[in-house]
């Protein structure tokens, strides 16, 4: 009976992971295509949504976004019900409750998200979408445990990671979260065009003091940040430095874990995703901010979060 219930939860959680991942991708398309990425006269058309102009390509995609998001919300409630009834499964019930709470929060934030001038709403939506993917995947992993009170056997790839992998993995996850938050700020504050070169921003290697104010998401954006904007340059540079730190630290953890047969698969997946994410980020800038490369960068980030979290859980279980 318990195994059948866990099997149902696994299927629901896997489907929800796919749906929330799709929501993240469609949201990225709506946000980035509206910003002008991929348009003929980029970056001149950047910020057209802020200027109040409609974006003809997005109507059908907006309908798809709302349909998938609504379906994910309903599935999230059903998943939470499965984790609670007839008796709560621990820790699945807590994870599912957190997932539903985040979904409700993002639904409420969506009321303000229609106005792209509100940076904080876009910032919360971007990070919240990645959080939905991570939580859905966390439930899927935890549902593999026949003992509902423990996640020690949560993953189908369960294995003990080398102890030496602990500190670079933990530090790498923190750096990754910081890079994601800074990347979300770049998009939320419409600051993509502020820096058009890599690795430095047109010869600038460290943010100017005036640029640090851009770390505040609780502002209303009047216009897109122009080329060389101090705040935009600061966000780009800090995002890149934290991303490099995450790549190095998670890379070290992945290489250490790859030495053990039991953890070679998950370590290999993380190393591959790290390489893809770094390459997509660089190519996005070098291409003049190609729309599809930018969306690929977001997709790889979502998958990297899930895989890095899975490795962290396996380490904790060990």
């Amino acid at each position: 009976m318990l195994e059948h219930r866990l099997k149902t939860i696994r299927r629901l959680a896997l489907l929800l992971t796919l749906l929330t991942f799709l929501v993240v991708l469609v949201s990225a398309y709506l946000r980035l295509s509206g910003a002008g990425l991929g348009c003929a006269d980029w970056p001149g058309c950047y910020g057209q949504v802020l200027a109040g102009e409609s974006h003809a390509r997005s109507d059908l995609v907006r309908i798809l976004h709302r349909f998938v998001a609504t379906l994910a919300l309903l599935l999230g409630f059903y998943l939470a019900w499965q984790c609670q009834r007839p008796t709560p499964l621990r820790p699945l019930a807590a994870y599912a409750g957190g997932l539903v709470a985040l979904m409700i929060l993002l639904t409420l934030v969506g009321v303000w998200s229609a106005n792209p001038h509100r940076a904080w709403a876009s910032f919360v939506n971007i990070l919240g979408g990645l959080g939905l993917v991570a939580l859905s995947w966390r439930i899927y992993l935890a549902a593999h445990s026949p003992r509902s009170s423990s996640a020690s056997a949560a993953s189908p790839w369960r294995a003990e990671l080398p102890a030496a992998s602990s500190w670079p993995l933990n530090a790498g996850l923190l750096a990754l979260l910081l890079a994601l938050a800074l990347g979300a700020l770049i998009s939320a504050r419409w600051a993509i065009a502020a820096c058009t070169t890599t690795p430095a921003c047109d010869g600038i290697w460290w943010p100017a003091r005036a640029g640090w104010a851009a770390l505040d998401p609780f502002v209303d954006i009047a216009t897109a940040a122009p080329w060389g904007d101090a705040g935009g340059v600061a966000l780009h540079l800090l995002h890149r430095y934290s991303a490099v730190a995450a790549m190095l630290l998670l890379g070290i953890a992945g290489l250490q874990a790859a030495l053990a047969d039991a953890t070679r698969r998950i370590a290999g997946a993380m190393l591959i995703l790290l390489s893809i994410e770094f390459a997509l980020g660089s190519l996005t800038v070098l291409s003049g901010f190609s729309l599809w490369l930018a969306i690929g960068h977001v997709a790889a980030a979502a998958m990297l979060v899930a895989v890095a979290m899975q490795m962290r859980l396996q380490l904790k279980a060990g």
Side-chain angles (χ1 to χ4, degrees):
M1 183 67 178
L2 176 60
E3 181 55 38
H4 176 74
R5 187 178 173 191
L6 288 173
K7 185 177 181 180
T8 300
I9 291 173
R10 285 196 297 270
R11 290 176 176 174
L12 291 172
L14 182 58
L15 178 58
L16 189 57
T17 301
L18 297 175
L19 284 176
T20 52
F21 182 71
L22 180 58
V23 169
V24 168
L25 294 188
V26 177
S27 296
Y29 175 83
L30 287 171
R31 186 174 62 255
L32 296 175
S33 64
L37 272 69
C39 63
D41 58 338
W42 168 258
C45 58
Y46 182 73
Q48 57 184 304
V49 170
L50 288 175
E53 299 176 17
S54 62
H55 193 64
R57 292 182 299 166
S58 65
D59 291 341
L60 183 60
V61 183
R62 288 184 186 279
I63 295 174
L64 174 63
H65 175 263
R66 291 174 183 175
F67 173 77
V68 177
T70 301
L71 184 60
L73 178 62
L74 295 175
L75 186 61
F77 276 107
Y78 183 60
L79 175 61
W81 181 80
Q82 285 287 335
C83 293
Q84 288 285 351
R85 302 295 179 185
T87 56
L89 295 176
R90 307 296 180 189
L92 291 171
Y95 298 149
L99 177 69
V100 170
L102 181 56
M103 284 181 163
I104 294 174
L105 172 64
L106 292 177
T107 301
L108 295 175
V109 172
V111 176
W112 288 274
S113 298
N115 184 349
H117 295 268
R118 297 188 177 103
W120 70 268
S122 296
F123 178 71
V124 171
N125 267 321
I126 295 169
L127 291 184
L130 295 175
L132 290 179
V133 176
L135 272 173
S136 301
W137 187 243
R138 179 65 181 92
I139 295 172
Y140 172 76
L141 296 175
H144 281 81
S145 173
R147 294 170 292 177
S148 59
S149 61
S150 171
S152 60
S155 172
W157 303 277
R158 179 179 181 272
E160 182 175 353
L161 295 180
S165 297
S166 178
W167 77 264
L169 181 58
N170 292 334
L173 278 170
L174 290 176
L176 178 61
L177 292 176
L178 179 59
L180 293 173
L182 290 165
L185 270 178
I186 292 173
S187 182
R189 294 183 67 109
W190 298 79
I192 296 176
C195 177
T196 57
T197 62
T198 187
C201 286
D202 301 290
I204 300 174
W205 288 90
W206 188 250
R209 181 177 298 180
W212 291 84
L215 293 173
D216 179 16
F218 297 99
V219 294
D220 286 343
I221 307 299
T223 59
W227 173 83
D229 175 75
V233 168
L235 292 176
H236 275 276
L237 291 176
L238 293 174
H239 170 68
R240 292 172 188 181
Y241 293 149
S242 56
V244 169
M247 184 183 71
L248 292 176
L249 291 166
L250 292 177
I252 291 172
L255 290 174
Q256 290 175 339
L259 297 176
D261 291 338
T263 54
R264 187 164 294 145
R265 179 180 298 179
I266 187 64
M270 190 172 73
L271 291 172
I272 291 172
L273 282 173
L274 279 171
S275 301
I276 292 174
E277 178 70 351
F278 185 80
L280 285 173
S282 300
L283 290 173
T284 299
V285 178
L286 294 173
S287 68
F289 298 102
S290 162
L291 172 62
W292 297 110
L293 286 175
I295 293 175
H297 189 53
V298 174
M303 290 186 286
L304 182 58
V305 169
V307 170
M309 180 193 67
Q310 181 177 331
M311 179 173 280
R312 177 67 185 86
L313 292 173
Q314 291 183 204
L315 174 61
K316 186 177 180 180

